[in-house]
Amino acid sequence: MLEVFRKLGSIQVDPIAVAGRSHDLVLHARVAGYEPAWCDLLYERREIFEVTNKALSLVPTSEFPWFRLGFGRKGPRFHAGVLAENAAVAERVLGRIRAEGALSALDFEREHGAPKDWFGMPENVVRAVLEAYTVTGVLGLARRDGNLRYYDLLERLLPAELVAHEVPVREQLRHTLLSRYRAHGLLGAGGAGDTFARIGPANSTPERPGRNALREELVELGALVPVDVEGVRGKRFVLGEELALLQAPPEPPPSVAFVAPFDSLLWDKALVASLFGFDYVWEGFFPPAKRRWGWYVLPICFGDRFVGRIEPRIDRDRARVEVLDVWWEDGFAPGRAHGFVEAMRDALRAYLRFAGAGSLEWAPHLATEKRLFLARP
């Protein structure tokens, strides 16, 4: 697991858990026999830590000094303002944590004020203060209870030498940019969507270096290597340490993996469509009538191909997994693809273990898939 974190640089955290938490799905796709409790154990042992890197992410704790610039959801100025405008609440929150240890927003009375949440609605000021303190490096996330976050003083969570280790801002930004290229593996200069969120503008300003200058420095250092990809416009960049993979690519494993919607592999959807002929859009925010597939759908990867997508639901009360639907790519016949049926069965058995489920239920219209892939724990 730690090797996956080192290779990807960071793994995005997402609270939606209908098919498994996003970071768990990323690890499940890459680590044989993975169980969600393993990530929780690394978290409890402080071997991984939550920081903002594009979005809220898990990173190896040893890299904390290079991710100290946690800008939160709305940037450092906004969070500094939250603390200044709600000084009495901030002082009370920090005082209790100093005295009592790790606390969550639910351990305080709700306070109403100016901060707004993602949807423009009034936000609990206590929650905004807790986030602001994490952005300014006073607090850190001690643990999670489901989606409930517990905060404690940073010096009580991390070794003193890590807290004291100061890294220049330019070096932090360069490391952050490299982490995005590391996570995806083949990003272009402009990234895709919000791939480079919170790093800064493309061009340098008097306040901070731009991404273009930072990327040029990484190329000069040999950390990134520009490459041309046949059929793809523009330069792409690979890690210098992974250049050998292009010169002698390994055989793809003959296995099936279910890919998380927020997996870094899917950040550049246009590239995925160009390289693999696979059109993927996460439709979680779409109204049901506008969904082409479903709400929380996982791409199915077989070897080096995307062959379809699956919509599973984990029913924890009944210890079962429900498969609501499966979509196969045009031209892919699961029953005739060499090695696919057994690989899919293995993947489903592994997913049942991952989900802590004892049975797999197929939607009535999936009778063919049920017959092909009948999987027992």
Side-chain angles (χ1 to χ4, degrees):
M1 288 170 56
L2 285 173
E3 181 63 17
V4 174
F5 277 103
R6 282 190 287 265
K7 281 186 176 295
L8 297 184
S10 67
I11 297 177
Q12 183 173 333
V13 175
D14 187 79
I16 299 174
V18 291
R21 300 175 302 184
S22 182
H23 57 283
D24 285 323
L25 287 166
V26 170
L27 289 164
H28 170 66
R30 292 167 171 84
V31 180
Y34 174 78
E35 298 177 14
W38 297 356
C39 193
D40 294 336
L41 181 60
L42 287 184
Y43 196 109
E44 291 167 12
R45 284 162 36 178
R46 305 281 180 251
E47 294 188 63
I48 56 176
F49 200 73
E50 286 193 40
V51 298
T52 299
N53 186 29
K54 177 179 175 292
L56 190 61
S57 301
L58 294 167
V59 304
T61 300
S62 59
E63 294 193 15
F64 171 77
W66 286 267
F67 286 102
R68 195 182 292 271
L69 286 175
F71 298 128
R73 293 174 294 165
K74 299 181 180 180
R77 184 176 300 176
F78 170 83
H79 293 289
V82 166
L83 295 176
E85 294 163 12
N86 301 278
V89 176
E91 183 178 355
R92 184 163 63 251
V93 167
L94 190 59
R96 281 194 59 190
I97 290 176
R98 285 189 188 280
E100 301 174 36
L103 297 174
S104 76
L106 295 184
D107 291 311
F108 300 87
E109 292 292 327
R110 287 183 63 88
E111 300 273 357
H112 299 286
K116 299 292 194 296
D117 65 15
W118 281 110
F119 303 101
M121 302 298 291
E123 184 174 24
N124 180 3
V125 173
V126 171
R127 183 178 181 277
V129 162
L130 288 168
E131 181 180 2
Y133 272 135
T134 63
V135 170
T136 55
V138 176
L139 299 179
L141 291 169
R143 69 179 190 276
R144 283 176 174 267
D145 183 2
N147 294 326
L148 186 63
R149 300 182 224 171
Y150 284 80
Y151 300 80
D152 202 351
L153 298 177
L154 195 63
E155 64 256 29
R156 292 203 289 237
L157 298 176
L158 297 179
E161 61 271 19
L162 275 182
V163 176
H165 188 177
E166 295 286 345
V167 175
V169 169
R170 190 182 195 93
E171 190 176 334
Q172 288 189 57
L173 290 170
R174 196 165 58 206
H175 184 87
T176 301
L177 181 63
L178 181 61
S179 77
R180 312 290 172 87
Y181 281 102
R182 179 181 297 281
H184 182 269
L186 202 62
L187 282 174
D194 63 350
T195 303
F196 294 144
R198 300 184 177 91
I199 296 177
N203 298 314
S204 299
T205 67
E207 291 77 28
R208 64 192 304 175
R211 298 193 310 269
N212 291 338
L214 295 169
R215 187 178 57 255
E216 288 172 7
E217 292 171 14
L218 289 169
V219 171
E220 289 175 3
L221 291 168
L224 285 180
V225 177
V227 296
D228 293 310
V229 181
E230 184 178 350
V232 176
R233 294 177 60 186
K235 290 286 184 184
R236 293 279 162 171
F237 296 85
V238 299
L239 297 183
E241 65 194 62
E242 295 182 352
L243 196 59
L245 293 176
L246 296 182
Q247 297 163 345
E251 282 294 317
S255 57
V256 164
F258 303 142
V259 183
F262 302 115
D263 195 301
S264 54
L265 176 64
L266 300 174
W267 283 354
D268 191 340
K269 295 177 176 58
L271 181 68
V272 170
S274 176
L275 289 181
F276 299 101
F278 187 74
D279 179 21
Y280 181 72
V281 177
W282 186 60
E283 300 176 324
F285 290 129
F286 289 18
K290 293 189 175 182
R291 290 175 188 154
R292 183 177 173 187
W293 293 289
W295 175 37
Y296 207 85
V297 174
L298 310 180
I300 302 171
C301 183
F302 175 50
D304 59 358
R305 299 174 60 192
F306 285 104
V307 299
R309 49 202 98 203
I310 186 169
E311 186 175 18
R313 289 287 182 276
I314 300 174
D315 185 340
R316 292 173 178 83
D317 293 335
R318 299 182 182 181
R320 69 179 185 180
V321 169
E322 301 171 327
V323 180
L324 304 187
D325 217 333
V326 177
W327 300 263
W328 303 111
E329 288 294 278
D330 291 343
F332 181 76
R336 294 197 294 270
H338 179 69
F340 178 75
V341 171
E342 191 54 46
M344 185 70 170
R345 289 173 181 169
D346 288 343
L348 290 168
R349 282 191 286 265
Y351 187 76
L352 283 173
R353 292 193 297 271
F354 166 81
S359 64
L360 184 66
E361 303 291 333
W362 296 84
H365 68 283
L366 299 175
T368 300
E369 283 77 11
K370 179 179 179 179
R371 176 180 55 79
L372 273 179
F373 308 126
L374 184 63
R376 301 188 183 280

